[in-house]
């Protein structure tokens, strides 16, 4: 079986490269024969969408009325604060105007076996005066008083899939580096194998990045060390299994200490809290599931499509139309009152031996993740903003570190958010140039087949 898989994978690789060389500057291919099946990167059968005719009220939620006047604690200064070894990203904060100490209070949660855990984080303040905030929430002080639904975040498509030499990889840098660089949504698909949730791309034989629990443990460690950051985690339920399969990894990893529970489902735009509110209540992880979520049973596991909609997933069209795909049959007025995600990960759809898969379009990464130009991230955000009168909440990308300069996708988000971006802050290992990273990907592109064939010979 592994022998056959290796041969199929080698064939897929050869087809990818022959197709990528046939692409013209307009984004169309000279090959007109369509693929025989969809390369969708999500479940395509057995899926349903929530009925939005009624609103589910969730009682297990934070009462922000009990929190102090956050607007006075987090002022609206637009200045940014550079992080350092003693800066806010490392858990300490000072203000030149007045000394402000962010004090942690415990948040108690119940685990699956009935025991409780507590976590210390910033949830109240002690100050002798009303200071001007210099603590950056998600990198910017001005974000603290902005609602979670009023910020454009960069999302890593298939965040865990970083294995060098594997066709199914979508990122180059590990999840901790992704978060350090500014990724604020982690997206991936999970598969149930022998009672355990694994992070696999399409098939666990193609790419298995380990267990969901191990991955979330790393994310949780990062959250504990960065108390002023809010992230989203979007899990793809590829096998359309019961949502209870996702609870143990969240609880056992410790992420349960940080999950956000909304007051209702669906959540209109104005219902979302500000980043400051989420930070003060230590509810800094918005965890979503694309299919089968049941917020009556698991209030913190959000039903994705009750909270937001998406443009076409795994797109192969360089025009990146900002038209809704999922959920279908939703009125424009409803969509205008929901968050939305622009899928901006350009793919090639390949089909061989009955296996269909979408793979990243390596040779156009510099243009796809660029600030401007046809098919660029900036171009797509501008189109979406024009069409919907507001920028997307999430911009989903492959190989986020590659663009027309290091981390150009973060410049796109900064422009949409009306803030500055320090281009020297990205990406990964200090001193790595965009040209070197691009060359690495380009070389990898031609070595993948050799790697697969070597593994075939070893078998």
């Amino acid at each position: 079986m592994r022998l056959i898989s290796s041969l199929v994978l080698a064939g897929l690789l050869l087809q990818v490269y022959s197709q990528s060389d046939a692409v013209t500057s307009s984004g169309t291919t000279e090959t007109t024969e369509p693929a025989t099946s969809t390369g969708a990167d999500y479940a395509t059968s057995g899926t349903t969408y929530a009925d939005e005719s009624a609103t589910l009220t969730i009682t297990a939620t934070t009462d922000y009325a009990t929190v102090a006047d956050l607007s006075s604690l987090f002022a609206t200064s637009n200045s940014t604060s550079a992080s350092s070894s003693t800066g806010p990203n490392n858990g300490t904060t000072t203000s030149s105007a007045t000394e402000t100490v962010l004090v942690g209070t415990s948040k108690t949660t119940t685990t699956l076996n009935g025991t409780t855990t507590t976590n210390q984080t910033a949830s109240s303040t002690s100050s002798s005066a009303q200071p001007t905030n210099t603590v950056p929430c998600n990198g910017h002080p001005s974000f603290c008083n902005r609602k979670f639904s009023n910020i454009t975040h960069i999302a890593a498509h298939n965040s865990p899939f970083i294995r060098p030499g594997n066709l199914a990889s979508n990122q180059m840098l590990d999840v901790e580096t992704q978060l350090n660089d500014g990724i604020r949504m982690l997206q991936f698909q999970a598969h149930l194998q022998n009672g355990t949730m694994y992070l696999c791309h399409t098939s666990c034989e193609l790419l298995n990045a380990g267990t969901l629990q191990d991955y979330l443990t790393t994310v949780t460690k990062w959250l504990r060390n960065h108390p002023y950051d809010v992230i989203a985690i979007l899990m793809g339920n590829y096998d359309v299994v019961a949502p209870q399969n996702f609870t143990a990894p969240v609880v056992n990893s410790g992420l349960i200490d940080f999950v956000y529970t909304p007051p209702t489902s669906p959540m209109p735009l104005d219902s979302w809290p500000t980043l400051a509110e989420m930070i003060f209540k230590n509810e800094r992880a918005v965890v979503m599931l694309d299919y089968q979520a049941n917020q009556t049973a698991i209030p913190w596991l959000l039903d994705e499509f009750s909270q937001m909609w998406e443009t076409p997933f795994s797109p192969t069209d360089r025009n990146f139309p900002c038209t809704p795909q999922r959920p279908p049959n939703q009125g424009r007025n409803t969509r205008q009152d929901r968050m939305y995600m622009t899928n901006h990960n350009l793919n090639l759809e390949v089909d061989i031996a009955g296996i269909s898969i979408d793979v990243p379009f390596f040779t156009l990464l510099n243009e796809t993740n660029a600030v401007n130009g046809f098919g660029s991230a900036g171009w797509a955000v501008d189109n979406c903003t024009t069409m919907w009168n507001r920028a997307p909440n999430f911009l989903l990308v492959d190989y986020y570190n590659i663009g027309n300069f290091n981390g150009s996708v973060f410049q796109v988000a900064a422009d949409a958010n009306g803030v500055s971006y320090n281009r020297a802050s990205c990406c990964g290992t200090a001193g790595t140039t965009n040209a070197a990273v691009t060359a690495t990907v380009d070389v990898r592109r031609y070595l993948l087949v050799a790697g697969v064939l070597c593994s075939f010979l070893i078998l």
Side-chain angles (χ1 to χ4, degrees), residues 318-393:
R318 288 193 71 194
N319 286 287
F320 291 104
C322 201
T323 52
Q325 181 192 56
R326 297 184 295 166
N329 307 317
Q330 191 177 58
R332 181 176 175 86
N333 289 342
T334 299
R335 294 194 195 278
Q336 287 179 318
D337 200 25
R338 297 287 186 275
M339 296 194 298
Y340 74 101
M341 180 166 74
T342 297
N343 291 302
H344 195 76
N345 51 304
L346 186 65
N347 294 271
L348 275 173
E349 184 179 310
V350 296
D351 187 273
I352 188 169
I355 296 178
S356 180
I357 185 172
D358 287 338
V359 297
F361 207 135
F362 296 105
T363 56
L364 287 177
L365 278 171
N366 283 357
E367 298 176 38
T368 302
N369 288 350
V371 173
N372 48 50
F374 174 72
S376 69
W379 184 83
V381 169
D382 287 345
N383 287 345
C384 284
T385 302
T386 298
M387 184 172 180
W388 295 96
N389 298 318
R390 59 187 178 88
N393 299 93

Side-chain angles (χ1 to χ4, degrees), residues 225-253:
N225 291 329
H226 296 80
Y228 311 111
D229 287 281
V230 178
I231 67 171
I233 299 173
L234 175 55
M235 301 185 289
N237 189 357
Y238 197 90
D239 297 332
V240 198
V241 297
Q244 286 78 8
N245 289 287
F246 292 85
T247 57
V250 172
V251 171
N252 294 335
S253 67

Side-chain angles (χ1 to χ4, degrees), residues 155-160 184-190 199 212 215-216 231-237 246 255 285-291 301-305 307-310 313 326 341 343 394 396:
H157 174 230
N158 280 332
S159 162
R184 288 298 175 266
M185 174 188 269
L186 306 170
Q187 184 271 350
F188 50 83
Q189 57 179 264
L199 301 173
L212 174 59
Y215 174 84
L216 294 181
I231 67 171
I233 299 173
L234 175 55
M235 301 185 289
N237 189 357
F246 292 85
L255 184 65
V286 178
V287 184
M288 291 186 275
L289 189 65
D290 61 352
Y291 294 114
L301 185 57
L302 279 59
D303 174 54
E304 178 196 356
F305 298 115
Q307 319 303 341
M308 70 179 191
W309 54 270
E310 294 186 12
F313 200 82
R326 297 184 295 166
M341 180 166 74
N343 291 302
F394 304 100
L396 190 74

Side-chain angles (χ1 to χ4, degrees), residues 281-301:
K281 282 298 180 182
N282 197 31
E283 298 187 344
R284 299 186 287 114
V286 178
V287 184
M288 291 186 275
L289 189 65
D290 61 352
Y291 294 114
Q292 300 299 105
N294 181 349
Q295 289 190 247
T296 300
I298 313 171
W300 52 262
L301 185 57

Side-chain angles (χ1 to χ4, degrees), residues 16-340:
V16 169
Y17 300 147
S18 64
Q19 286 188 2
S20 69
D21 290 337
V23 175
T24 67
S25 60
S26 64
T28 58
T29 64
E30 296 174 3
T31 303
T32 57
E33 182 178 355
T36 57
S37 62
T38 179
D41 205 7
Y42 56 88
T44 56
S45 62
T47 58
T48 59
Y49 296 91
D51 180 7
E52 292 191 338
S53 61
T55 298
L56 171 66
T57 300
I58 300 172
T59 56
T61 187
T62 297
D63 180 8
Y64 290 116
T66 64
V67 182
D69 181 7
L70 296 173
S71 63
S72 64
L73 299 175
F74 281 89
T76 57
S77 169
N78 289 320
S79 62
T80 58
S81 175
S83 61
S84 66
S85 60
T86 57
N89 288 338
N90 292 282
T92 61
T93 304
T94 60
S95 170
S96 58
T98 181
E99 184 176 358
T100 303
V101 182
L102 297 182
V103 183
T105 60
S106 63
K107 172 185 175 181
T108 302
T109 56
T110 302
T111 63
L112 290 180
N113 59 11
T115 61
T116 59
T117 61
T118 60
N119 178 63
Q120 297 289 116
T121 191
S123 59
S124 63
T125 67
S126 173
S127 178
S128 57
Q130 299 298 334
T132 297
N133 176 48
T134 58
V135 178
C137 300
N138 280 17
H140 297 277
S142 61
F143 284 178
C144 295
N145 277 339
R146 288 175 64 169
K147 292 181 181 293
F148 181 76
S149 57
N150 191 31
I151 302 173
T152 296
H153 315 261
I154 298 299
H157 174 230
N158 280 332
S159 162
F161 305 144
I162 61 171
R163 186 167 300 163
N166 192 295
L167 173 70
S169 293
N170 293 93
Q171 302 296 335
M172 179 180 294
L173 306 175
D174 63 83
V175 65
E176 184 176 1
T177 303
Q178 293 171 22
L179 292 168
N180 286 338
D181 285 338
I183 292 294
R184 288 298 175 266
M185 174 188 269
L186 306 170
Q187 184 271 350
F188 50 83
Q189 57 179 264
H191 295 247
L192 184 63
Q193 298 283 311
N194 298 320
T196 299
M197 297 304 301
Y198 283 91
L199 301 173
C200 301
H201 191 176
T202 307
S203 166
C204 287
E205 290 186 349
L206 185 60
L207 194 160
N208 186 338
T211 67
L212 174 59
Q213 181 173 317
D214 287 346
Y215 174 84
L216 294 181
T217 298
T218 301
V219 174
T220 301
K221 179 181 177 181
W222 187 91
L223 279 171
R224 293 190 191 281
N225 291 329
H226 296 80
Y228 311 111
D229 287 281
V230 178
I231 67 171
I233 299 173
L234 175 55
M235 301 185 289
N237 189 357
Y238 197 90
D239 297 332
V240 198
V241 297
Q244 286 78 8
N245 289 287
F246 292 85
T247 57
V250 172
V251 171
N252 294 335
S253 67
L255 184 65
I256 191 67
D257 290 342
F258 301 97
V259 296
Y260 167 74
T261 303
T264 65
S265 181
M267 285 282 284
L269 288 175
D270 287 342
S271 296
W272 286 92
T274 66
L275 295 193
E277 291 171 327
M278 300 173 81
I279 289 168
F280 269 72
K281 282 298 180 182
N282 197 31
E283 298 187 344
R284 299 186 287 114
V286 178
V287 184
M288 291 186 275
L289 189 65
D290 61 352
Y291 294 114
Q292 300 299 105
N294 181 349
Q295 289 190 247
T296 300
I298 313 171
W300 52 262
L301 185 57
L302 279 59
D303 174 54
E304 178 196 356
F305 298 115
S306 293
Q307 319 303 341
M308 70 179 191
W309 54 270
E310 294 186 12
T311 64
F313 200 82
S314 293
T316 57
D317 182 0
R318 288 193 71 194
N319 286 287
F320 291 104
C322 201
T323 52
Q325 181 192 56
R326 297 184 295 166
N329 307 317
Q330 191 177 58
R332 181 176 175 86
N333 289 342
T334 299
R335 294 194 195 278
Q336 287 179 318
D337 200 25
R338 297 287 186 275
M339 296 194 298
Y340 74 101

